[in-house]
Amino acid sequence: MPRFTGKRALITGAASGIGRASALRFAAEGAHVILVDVAETVRKTAEAVRRAGGAAEAFVGDAASPELIATAVDAAEREGGLDVAFANAGISGGLTSLADLELSEWERVLRVNLIGAFVLVQRAAAVMVPRGRGAIVCTASVAGIRSGAGGMPYSASKAGVISLVQTAANQLAGSGVRINAICPGLTETGMTEPMFERARARGTERKLGQLNPLRRAANPEEQATVALFLASDDASYVNGQAFAVDGGLSSSHPVVLGHMA
């Protein structure tokens, strides 16, 4: 039997990339999906779910808005109750140097990536805890584990998401609600699309992901597979963890192969 038959899953950042792939996978496994994104194309994700025979609702707006998230959670509650919350919305913020970063850019990135995750975690927990069950998944990043995989605001925000997951797991102790994170490595999504397009234009696409042992970038479906596992009963004893899904990138310190002393 599909793992999410009769369940409701709320996914932010569902217009493209990992969020879209996850929405299609949750729906294919029986979930009624509630989709949130600032991009109007989240409606196309919902349409794709419905064309495949699934049930979906789409909400366009800021995933860090408590009011919008409350509305989306209420939609899940009307369908029988929120079972899964996937706080996936995020932005990159670019690679501006420490000297040139503006406070407004820090605030913009942290608002979407970290405050947005908190808003969904808090609202989801509020309806899950009284029922004694539920699974929350957040998208962090290998950039939140150590330096070198993103700009400063992005990396700091994703480190914050990892801490949010760890501390929330303990705040929710004994409630029956689990929370975990995925930490994607380089993945082709709407956020990274310009990088992939530039590489293809230069004929250097094969170099993308060359620093990890698998020597390639991930596709969104590979990240969605891990998110679904963490949201499912297959992960019933997994809690408070941040899983690197990065082709092995975070398994090693920087090294130039063939030049180790």
Side-chain angles (χ1 to χ4, degrees):
M1 179 180 292
R3 291 177 292 180
F4 300 99
T5 297
K7 295 187 176 182
R8 280 65 48 185
L10 193 164
I11 305 155
T12 65
S16 63
I18 297 168
R20 185 178 192 278
S22 297
L24 295 172
R25 288 287 303 277
F26 273 114
E29 293 209 33
H32 179 122
V33 294
I34 295 89
L35 313 176
V36 177
D37 203 296
V38 70
E40 286 281 347
T41 47
V42 70
R43 301 189 194 281
K44 293 185 177 180
T45 302
E47 290 169 5
V49 167
R50 290 191 287 265
R51 282 198 304 272
E57 299 175 60
F59 295 87
V60 178
D62 179 6
S65 163
E67 293 78 17
L68 179 62
I69 293 302
T71 298
V73 169
D74 287 347
E77 291 295 290
R78 287 193 298 272
E79 293 298 326
L82 182 65
D83 298 287
V84 174
F86 185 16
N88 170 72
I91 57 175
S92 71
L95 297 171
T96 307
S97 69
L98 171 63
D100 296 327
L101 271 169
E102 299 285 345
L103 178 60
S104 60
E105 182 64 6
W106 272 91
E107 292 173 335
R108 184 177 76 92
V109 175
L110 265 68
R111 184 176 189 280
V112 176
N113 294 359
L114 181 53
I115 295 176
F118 162 74
V119 168
L120 180 53
V121 168
Q122 184 184 53
R123 188 68 183 184
V127 298
M128 291 175 174
V129 168
R131 288 193 288 268
R133 68 180 190 279
I136 303 170
V137 181
C138 297
T139 297
S141 170
V142 291
I145 298 173
R146 58 177 61 92
S147 177
M152 289 187 70
Y154 179 81
S155 300
S157 71
K158 294 304 187 177
V161 171
I162 293 171
S163 182
L164 170 65
V165 165
Q166 294 168 338
T167 53
N170 285 276
Q171 288 280 315
L172 295 168
S175 69
V177 178
R178 298 181 299 105
I179 180 168
N180 294 285
I182 59 170
C183 298
L186 181 60
T187 305
E188 186 167 10
T189 67
M191 188 174 73
T192 60
E193 183 178 10
M195 178 194 306
F196 280 82
E197 289 182 344
R198 286 194 300 270
R200 290 184 181 115
R202 293 194 302 262
T204 58
E205 184 181 3
R206 63 181 179 82
K207 293 185 177 181
L208 292 171
Q210 64 182 328
L211 296 179
N212 73 59
L214 287 182
R215 297 289 195 270
R216 66 174 178 85
N219 62 60
E221 289 74 21
E222 290 173 305
Q223 304 295 342
T225 295
V226 182
L228 263 75
F229 163 71
L230 293 173
S232 76
D233 290 341
D234 292 337
S236 58
Y237 201 59
V238 181
N239 194 24
Q241 304 303 308
F243 288 84
V245 191
D246 63 356
L249 178 68
S250 59
S251 67
S252 173
H253 293 293
V255 61
V256 178
L257 293 178
H259 292 80
M260 294 181 67

